[in-house]
Amino acid sequence: MPRKSTITFAASAVKDLEEIREWYAEQQVPDVGERLLGEVISQVARLADFPEAGRIVPEFGGAHLREIIYPPFRIVYRLGENRVRIVRVWRSERLLKMP
């Protein structure tokens, strides 16, 4: 049986999640924000068993940078040997720019 991948979050992804939570709170629907964050975390958790489940990010085309489209979000991650690093969680209509 293959090993599960370890999942970590980059500081940029943590900041994205915090900003999502804050935005929904400002819109007076914090429960919607919490629900969506829980759903994003569920999508991320399945990458432990299926790290290649996401598509290759079209803006870059490298097999190591993948994403899950979970409307209205893009969950972008870097794939490594037995590890997944979540790098961004953005609105799906945004184009990806790496620093």
Side-chain angles (χ1 to χ4, degrees):
M1 178 178 233
R3 281 184 45 193
K4 285 191 174 211
S5 293
T6 301
I7 298 173
T8 59
F9 286 78
S12 54
V14 172
K15 184 175 185 246
D16 291 339
L17 293 172
E18 289 170 349
E19 289 175 356
I20 290 166
R21 175 181 279 146
E22 289 171 12
W23 189 85
Y24 282 98
E26 289 169 4
Q27 303 306 308
Q28 305 299 314
V29 287
D31 53 323
V32 173
E34 293 299 322
R35 178 181 54 80
L36 285 172
L37 288 181
E39 292 171 6
V40 166
I41 298 302
S42 292
Q43 292 296 311
V44 167
R46 72 186 180 99
L47 293 173
D49 291 319
F50 306 103
E52 294 182 359
R55 71 177 188 169
I56 293 171
V57 176
E59 292 94 326
F60 293 94
H64 68 285
L65 195 59
R66 295 181 172 261
E67 67 183 349
I68 295 173
I69 303 297
Y70 187 74
F73 302 108
R74 293 175 82 178
I75 305 164
V76 182
Y77 64 98
R78 184 175 305 275
L79 186 58
E81 189 172 328
N82 293 319
R83 65 185 173 86
V84 170
R85 181 146 177 95
I86 309 304
V87 293
R88 299 306 307 237
V89 181
W90 279 343
R91 294 287 302 194
S92 17
E93 63 272 7
R94 289 178 66 178
L95 293 176
L96 180 63
K97 294 180 186 173
M98 294 298 281

